Structure formats: C-alpha cells, structure tokens
C-alpha cells in the first residue's frame, strides 16, 4: 500500500505525452486518487492498524492475565458435567444457564455461561470457571463472542471494531476496510509502472529513499492488505449486509442445525435452567447424557452445549474450534430421549460459507494460532510505517519545510472515453455494494469539480488547462 505520490517527472501528469498509451493515460488518474485517498483515509487506517495490532496480541495477553481462571492442576478424574454446573449455580445463582463449555484440555477449566445476570453488559454472558476435577469455582468473568473473549480482549476488540462508540463507531473501520484495497492497488500500479532504476533504496537519500522504502514494503505487504480489506468487509455494517444478501441469493449462506423438537411428553411445559441451581428443561444429569450423545456422533473437544430457550427447542452441541483444522460440526439433541434430531457437518457447508469462516478466523488471528497473530501484528506494523512514510513524502514534496502541493487536477481528461466510461460504470456498481467507498468517492469528485470551476472562474487555470 502507498499513501503519497512522487515528484519525479515520470509520475507528473504534465509529463504525459500528447497521445498517451492506456497505461500512461491512467497513471495520472491513479496517482491523484492514490494521493488523496491516502491523505484522507490514512488516519482511519492508522487507528485500525494500531488497534488491530493490540487485538492480535491480546490472545496471548489473555492467557497470562486470566491464567488462574483458565487453568487448573491436572487431576485423576473429571467429575460429571452436571456436578460442575451445579457448583457454578451455587456460587452464582442469578441469571440462567445459556451454555456450557466443558473442559477441552486436561489443564483447562469448564465454563458455565450465565445470561441475564445483573451488571453484565447486553450481548455478554457471565462465564463461571469451574475446576473439572474438584468442582471448585475459580472465578467469574464477562465473556463476549463465539471465541470466548474475556474482558481484556473484549475491550480491545470493541476498540478496534467501533472505538467504543457503538454502531455508529463501526463506520470508521468499514471506511478503512473499504479503501485499503483501493489504496493498495493504486500503490502497486504506481510502483510497477515506475522505471526500475527509480525503485532503489540503497544509495539514495531524501524523498527518493522514503519512496523506495514506502514502495518496497507496500509491495511485500500488498497481499496481506487485500486479504484484510476483503475479510474486514464481510462483517461490516453496510458492505457486509450486501455480501450476506449476495451469498444468500447464490445459495451460499452459512447453514445452521435445526433445534426444533416435537412438543409433548416429559419435555413439554419446561422453560430452561432456573436460577437456583435446578433445571426446568432437564435434570442436571441430562447434561451428561446430551454430551454423551454428541460424543457418539463424533463431536470432539472443544464443544459448547447451548441450553434451549423453550420446550420446542432441543439442546445444541457444537464444536467451537476455530484453529486449523476447524471443527464446526453441530448436532441437536432431544434431552427427553437423548436422541440426535439433526446434525450439520462443516464439510457440508457451501464453499463461500467455508471461505467466509476461514477468512474471518484468519482476520481475527485464531485460524493458525500464534503464527496467525504474529503475521497480523507484522501487517499492522507495515501499515503504520507506510502511513508515516506517506506523510513524510508529502512533507518532503514541500522541500522539508511544509507539506507539498497536491497532485494537479484534470487527470481524468487524459483518459480515452473507451476506457473512462466503463471505468466509471464499474466504480458506480462497486460504490453501490460498498457504500463507504462509493459515497466518499462521489463527494471527492463533486468537491473537486466545484473547486475546479471556482478556479476557472477566478482565472487561475494555467495555460495547460490545469490548476497549479
């Protein structure tokens, strides 16, 4: 990715020949777009990069900060799951049990997730950590999301996602994701259309050296930036909704297991796990029966048992491993009979659903564990450096005493109509599906046209038809 132009004559719109080739005709336009997009969007990208760096590091920090709650000495025999849940309810009788995550490893605690607990944020649950060998409660923390984020990672996650400003704050991250691939693509075009001798880093100084560092790092990191942009948009507010709608129309939506069961019998009339440690939907021992039924269907750890909300719903046991290879199989179990009423295998997901799952998990840093997190931190650091170098080049363009002049307008006039018209149509369609790309771009063009008209009327247009 690049964020600023060069001052060499081969990049200047004035240097384009009277009858330019397609590449030469598009270069000034790309240069102008790259320059202004970099200047205006870079602050949003900088915030996204810094907060993304922190989020990638938060996985390992979480293991250290909450080691007491997460880990236990390995014992001889794990107690029945029902006893562990009963111990959690005795220590925390408020709220209702919404899910249980049995200890996935020999030294890991069991998480009993409670919803409706006073003081716990909306959309969050209270995770009660239980020693699976002794049923001793080791602590309780708020948990958020399918990856089981605890308070430290949750806070950083929300900072990265919306700056703790709620839904409106998510627009900043969507704006950054919408423009990252555009700036990256423009930077690649500009770099590879430069003469090879002007790409050097060694033996040069000043602005040329800054440009060399900027371009070289941008080229090496470009694939990662494209990936972050694409995956970031998949769960953004507006572009994400359009992507979901498109996937649904193509029959590629993410499926879910059916938790519906027939009414009647013992199961009818019950409402869920109550607040006093007893269960209204099932007896405590049924949790072990439900887990055993899921194990018989091949669902290995880690799993989450989702408690039904009403009498017409079965328990859902789903694998929650997001690291490679992913385990995302799920089954629905009728607690009355212990019979599996439905199953869904990750292998049966549509292709786009699988790609979306893998992309989001890689973007979040869980798909390949520590290696994934280090790669994300490296990409974030590269983006920070590119932004700093981009602004430095702009400063050096003004001879290191002030920010330099902007790229002259009028570059679009040099693009032949057979190229310009389809290009504008493609941008319009893309802007519709990615509104935080399309709307700012339309505003930029409108402001640019108005400023050009004002300059023309004031007689400031140069003899070449461009404004200095």
């Amino acid at each position: 990715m690049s964020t600023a132009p060069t001052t060499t004559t081969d990049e200047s719109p004035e240097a384009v020949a009277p009858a330019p080739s397609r590449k030469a005709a598009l270069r000034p336009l790309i240069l102008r777009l790259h320059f202004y997009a970099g200047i205006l969007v870079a602050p949003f990208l900088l915030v996204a990069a810094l907060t993304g760096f922190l989020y990638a590091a938060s996985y390992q920090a979480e293991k250290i900060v909450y080691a007491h709650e997460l880990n236990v000495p390995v014992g001889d025999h794990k107690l029945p799951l029902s006893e562990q849940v009963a111990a959690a309810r005795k220590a925390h009788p408020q709220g209702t049990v919404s899910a249980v995550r049995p200890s996935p490893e020999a030294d890991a605690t069991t998480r009993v997730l409670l919803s409706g607990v006073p003081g716990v944020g909306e959309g969050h649950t209270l995770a009660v950590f239980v020693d699976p060998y002794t049923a001793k409660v080791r602590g309780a923390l708020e948990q958020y999301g399918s990856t089981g984020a605890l308070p430290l990672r949750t806070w950083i996650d929300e900072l990265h996602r919306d700056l703790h400003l709620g839904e409106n704050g998510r627009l900043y991250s969507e704006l950054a994701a919408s423009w990252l691939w555009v700036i990256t693509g423009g930077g690649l075009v500009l770099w590879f259309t430069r003469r090879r001798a002007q790409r050097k880093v060694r033996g040069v100084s000043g602005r040329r050296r800054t440009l060399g560092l900027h371009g070289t790092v941008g080229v090496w990191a470009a694939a990662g930036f494209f990936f972050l942009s694409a995956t970031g948009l998949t769960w953004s507010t507006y572009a994400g909704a359009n992507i979901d709608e498109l996937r649904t129309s193509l029959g590629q939506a993410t499926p879910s297991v059916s938790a519906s069961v027939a009414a009647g019998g013992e199961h009818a009339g019950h409402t869920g796990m109550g607040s006093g440690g007893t269960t209204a939907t099932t007896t405590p021992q049924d949790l072990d029966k439900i887990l055993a039924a899921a194990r018989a269907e091949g669902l290995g750890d880690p799993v989450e048992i989702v408690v039904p909300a009403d009498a017409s719903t079965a328990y859902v046991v789903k694998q929650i491993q997001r690291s490679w290879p992913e385990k995302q199989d799920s089954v629905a179990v009728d607690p009355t009979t212990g019979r599996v009423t439905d199953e869904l295998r990750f292998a049966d997901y549509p292709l786009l659903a699988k790609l979306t799952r893998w992309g989001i998990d890689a973007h979040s840093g869980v798909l390949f564990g520590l290696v994934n997190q280090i790669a994300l931190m490296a990409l974030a650091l590269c983006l920070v450096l590119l932004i700093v170098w981009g602004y430095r080049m702009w400063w050096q363009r003004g001879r290191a005493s002030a920010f330099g002049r902007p790229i002259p307008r009028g570059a679009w006039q040099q693009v032949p109509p057979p190229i310009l018209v389809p290009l504008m149509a493609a941008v319009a369609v893309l802007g519709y599906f990615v509104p935080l790309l399309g709307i700012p771009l339309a505003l930029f063009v409108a402001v640019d046209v108005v400023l050009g008209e004002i300059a023309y009327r004031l007689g400031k247009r140069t003899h070449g038809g461009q404004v200095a």
Side-chain angles (χ1 to χ4, degrees), residues 371-393:
V371 173
N372 196 163
Q373 293 149 22
I374 292 174
L376 290 174
M377 288 188 283
L379 280 174
L381 181 60
C382 286
L383 186 53
V384 171
L385 291 174
L386 289 169
I387 292 170
V388 172
W389 285 329
Y391 278 114
R392 177 168 174 77
M393 281 191 293

Side-chain angles (χ1 to χ4, degrees), residues 26 29 411-427:
L26 284 173
L29 182 63
W412 65 270
Q413 297 172 349
Q414 302 178 38
V415 182
I419 300 177
L420 183 62
V421 173
L423 182 62
M424 293 178 64
V427 169

Side-chain angles (χ1 to χ4, degrees), residues 67 111 138 154 253 274 287 325 365 387 438:
R111 296 194 195 190
R138 294 179 64 86
T154 297
L287 286 172
I387 292 170

Side-chain angles (χ1 to χ4, degrees), residues 299-371:
L299 270 68
D301 286 323
V303 298
E304 178 177 284
I305 305 171
V306 180
V307 177
D310 53 51
S312 63
T313 308
Y315 276 72
V316 172
V317 183
K318 56 184 179 181
Q319 292 179 309
I320 54 174
Q321 178 170 305
R322 296 290 181 81
S323 58
W324 189 267
E326 294 216 352
K327 295 181 180 180
Q328 296 291 307
D329 295 349
S330 56
V331 297
V333 183
D334 187 333
T336 303
T337 63
R339 182 175 61 89
V340 173
T341 59
D342 191 30
E343 66 177 43
L344 175 64
R345 304 295 177 178
F346 185 66
D348 297 328
Y349 276 33
L351 177 60
L352 290 184
K354 289 180 179 177
L355 293 176
T356 300
R357 178 75 275 151
W358 291 330
I360 290 176
D361 291 341
H363 186 113
S364 301
V366 295
L367 187 60
F368 300 110
L370 181 59
V371 173

Side-chain angles (χ1 to χ4, degrees), residues 30 48-49 67 105 150-151 166 170 176 182-183 196 216 219 225 234 255 276 301 304 352 374 398 400 436 452 454:
I30 295 173
E105 298 170 348
L150 299 178
R170 294 183 66 182
V182 177
I183 299 173
R196 184 178 297 273
T216 301
V219 167
F225 294 153
T234 57
D301 286 323
E304 178 177 284
L352 290 184
I374 292 174
L436 289 190
I454 293 174

